[in-house]
Amino acid sequence: MSGQVVPCSPQEIGSLFLFEKLTPEQLGRLCSEGRVERFEPGPVYTEGEPATCFFVMIEGTVVLSRRVGGDDIEVTRTSQPGVYSGAMQAYLGDRVRQLYNNSMRVTEQTRFFVLPADTFAAVMQEWFPMAVHLLEGLFFGSKSTQRAIGQRERLLALGSLSAGLTHELNNPAAAAVRATATLRERVAKMRHKLGVISAGPYPREALANLIEVQERTAELVAKAPTLSPLEAADREDALTDWLDDHGIPDGWRLAPTFVQAGLDIDWLDQVAADVDPEILPGAIGWLNYTVETELLMDEIEDSTTRISHLVDAAKQYSQLDRAPYQNADVHELLDSTLLMLSGKIGSRIEVVKDYDRTLPKIPAYPAELNQVWTNLIDNAVHAINSTGGEGTLTVRTALDHDRLLVEFRDTGPGVPQEIRGRIFDPFFTTKPVGEGTGLGLDISWRIVVNKHHGTLQVESEPGDTRFQVLLPLTAADDDTPEEPT
């Protein structure tokens, strides 16, 4: 929007605090190369447009706002003469994108001194070369520092995740190794027992019946029901009595294995009916090895399946083989992050998933959303641990008008009202020295707001803190999501 050009007075602009130290010659050059414009109430420029001018208010009222998600949030409203905005980084040239980083409007008739961006850059470099060098160093130095600390924050998070993943992988891997070693031993004993039976004076039909009983037993083990501790104890006692009554040695040792496999007295009666009495003790011992091998193979299958799920979760979390921007299912992302952080969450914190599975996929950067989930879950776990380590973490998804809500609710002590407005600031942290950099929520805010055009907000009271991420259901005009392959 352009205003009405009016005469420029060097004396008037020289009264503004920004120009009060300039010489008459410098003020004359500003008036000759710049201009004074009068704007009626309304917008002056819009955030994201090319920054073509530097504005200094002479009189009136100006309002500056920033775009947050789908809303314009007012950040400054002032009537102080001399306030400035617009192409304030023009002196950096094409080393940075020259865009307006906010929107400006006026609420009453307002006059500005307007200087073209290239003229502003030229006079800064000509009149204040040392200041330009200092400002350049400050700008690029702060960017470099923020980038380095951001990378350190990511590395710290990655290290924590790696330690947790290693721990989670070690448990099923160790279980699989132990089960394999035990299985090798049981198979060897089963071969020995079968050799003893086959070497005895038993007819072919008896051995055939034994093999058939073994096949039926293996099928029963695969369908074993889950018993309560009381039911299991009662069944162990009954099986032990049956084995003792039939002269089977060490019945107390065999009974727990048979119960774990879902076998009962009816099964033992069938075995006794199908096998000759003289072969029954050896047959029961051999069938015990059969049951143990089936249970060990189930354990190995469970362990390797667990490892496979962890690897899949790590792959989902990292998104290494996925397009950076795509239509993503937030529930898959949440599940993979929770699994990756399960070691840090621990067993004393109850995790409740309150998902609305009818929600559609949304256009997103999945790997970066996973980082948001990581930061918010980590903060929730820290909050719960600060009150004794026991509590509940609830992860909820829902439709909130035209946006998708992801809410992380913890039962920690809450965020005090006096710091609630600062928690998203860079380097602000309430964690002890060495445990936090103060960048987790800042990074999360920038990912949600800047990259996804969403909103990140917090509601908190003691025992009920909720971090809410609101994401748009559709892509912005300049975004082009890819379908995952």
Side-chain angles (χ1 to χ4, degrees):
M1 176 180 176
S2 59
Q4 178 187 2
V5 179
V6 296
C8 177
S9 166
Q11 290 76 21
E12 183 178 44
I13 65 171
S15 68
L16 302 175
F17 67 82
L18 196 62
F19 303 132
E20 61 185 0
K21 298 298 183 181
L22 298 184
T23 65
E25 291 77 13
Q26 290 173 326
L27 293 173
R29 178 178 173 183
L30 289 181
C31 263
S32 64
E33 298 189 28
R35 61 189 183 274
V36 173
E37 291 188 40
R38 180 186 294 117
F39 288 83
E40 298 299 324
V44 177
Y45 64 75
T46 303
E47 180 179 348
E49 292 178 346
T52 58
C53 295
F54 178 69
F55 295 82
V56 184
M57 189 180 74
I58 300 173
E59 62 176 354
T61 301
V62 66
V63 176
L64 300 179
S65 61
R66 294 291 303 271
R67 190 75 170 171
V68 179
D71 303 317
D72 283 316
I73 306 300
E74 181 178 318
V75 294
T76 301
R77 179 184 292 259
T78 181
S79 299
Q80 179 184 356
V83 295
Y84 52 89
S85 188
M88 294 184 296
Q89 296 170 347
Y91 58 87
L92 296 173
D94 57 6
R95 286 174 291 177
V96 298
R97 294 183 66 190
Q98 296 295 333
L99 302 174
Y100 291 123
N101 60 12
N102 54 34
S103 296
M104 184 165 71
R105 61 186 176 88
V106 296
T107 59
E108 61 179 322
Q109 191 178 82
T110 302
R111 282 192 304 134
F112 289 97
F113 172 69
V114 183
L115 197 61
D118 53 354
T119 302
F120 175 57
V123 298
M124 283 288 292
Q125 292 163 359
E126 181 181 339
W127 295 348
F128 314 107
M130 183 176 177
V132 167
H133 286 306
L134 291 172
L135 289 170
E136 287 177 344
L138 178 62
F139 178 83
F140 290 111
S142 64
K143 287 286 187 182
S144 177
T145 300
Q146 190 175 40
R147 188 181 305 112
I149 296 178
Q151 289 173 347
R152 181 177 181 273
E153 177 81 6
R154 289 177 171 86
L155 287 173
L156 288 173
L158 179 61
S160 177
L161 285 172
S162 299
L165 180 60
T166 301
H167 175 76
E168 291 297 310
L169 285 170
N170 182 66
N171 290 335
V177 170
R178 289 194 303 269
T180 302
T182 306
L183 178 63
R184 187 185 302 276
E185 177 187 344
R186 294 297 185 270
V187 169
K189 289 183 177 180
M190 186 167 62
R191 289 197 303 266
H192 174 72
K193 182 69 73 173
L194 180 60
V196 171
I197 293 175
S198 61
Y202 307 116
R204 181 186 299 271
E205 292 77 11
L207 295 179
N209 288 340
L210 185 59
I211 296 299
E212 184 181 352
V213 170
Q214 182 191 39
E215 293 295 332
R216 293 202 309 267
T217 300
E219 292 177 2
L220 290 173
V221 174
K223 303 173 183 177
T226 301
L227 302 177
S228 68
L230 183 60
E231 291 172 332
D234 290 342
R235 184 173 292 188
E236 283 182 22
D237 291 341
L239 290 182
T240 300
D241 292 341
W242 189 99
L243 294 170
D244 291 342
D245 292 343
H246 288 75
I248 309 299
D250 298 330
W252 60 272
R253 184 178 59 82
L254 301 179
T257 302
F258 291 152
V259 171
Q260 184 182 355
L263 306 177
D264 54 18
I265 290 180
D266 290 340
W267 169 76
L268 287 174
D269 288 337
Q270 292 177 14
V271 173
D274 292 337
V275 176
D276 294 338
E278 66 272 14
I279 202 177
L280 181 60
I284 293 293
W286 184 55
L287 291 175
N288 176 63
Y289 292 138
T290 298
V291 170
E292 286 186 332
T293 58
E294 290 294 325
L295 293 175
L296 288 168
M297 285 190 288
D298 287 344
E299 183 177 346
I300 293 171
E301 182 181 14
D302 290 342
S303 299
T304 53
T305 300
R306 170 72 174 166
I307 293 172
S308 178
H309 286 166
L310 286 167
V311 172
D312 286 343
K315 185 177 178 182
Q316 172 69 259
Y317 181 87
S318 65
Q319 296 285 314
L320 288 177
D321 63 340
R322 311 287 180 93
Y325 189 64
Q326 58 175 281
N327 288 318
D329 184 342
V330 294
H331 302 111
E332 292 180 358
L333 305 182
L334 290 167
D335 285 342
S336 67
T337 305
L338 286 168
L339 187 54
M340 290 287 288
L341 292 173
S342 57
K344 173 173 282 192
I345 294 172
S347 59
R348 299 178 66 191
I349 297 177
E350 179 186 4
V351 177
V352 177
K353 298 179 183 180
D354 183 9
Y355 292 169
D356 180 357
R357 294 286 186 178
T358 65
L359 293 174
K361 293 183 177 182
I362 61 170
Y365 295 88
E368 300 200 28
L369 282 184
N370 281 339
Q371 187 176 2
V372 174
W373 312 151
T374 299
N375 292 335
L376 297 181
I377 292 171
D378 182 70
N379 283 349
V381 170
H382 181 271
I384 295 173
N385 286 337
S386 70
T387 58
E390 290 187 355
T392 302
L393 168 62
T394 303
V395 183
R396 182 171 73 94
T397 63
L399 187 64
D400 187 294
H401 301 293
D402 60 344
R403 296 189 293 181
L404 186 148
L405 168 68
V406 181
E407 180 182 79
F408 298 85
R409 177 183 179 186
D410 69 72
T411 55
V415 181
Q417 180 66 40
E418 59 269 20
I419 68 169
R420 204 167 296 171
R422 302 170 54 200
I423 59 174
F424 296 110
D425 293 347
F427 309 111
F428 179 80
T429 181
T430 59
K431 295 179 181 178
V433 176
E435 292 188 20
T437 62
L439 286 176
L441 289 178
D442 170 57
I443 291 172
S444 300
W445 191 91
R446 286 188 279 117
I447 289 172
V448 172
V449 176
N450 295 346
K451 297 208 70 170
H452 290 85
H453 312 293
T455 302
L456 175 57
Q457 59 196 32
V458 61
E459 298 177 359
S460 183
E461 59 184 46
D464 185 6
T465 297
R466 307 182 186 200
F467 280 89
Q468 298 172 329
V469 178
L470 291 159
L471 299 168
L473 298 176
T474 57
D477 293 339
D478 56 346
D479 294 330
T480 54
E482 300 178 30
E483 286 292 345
T485 56

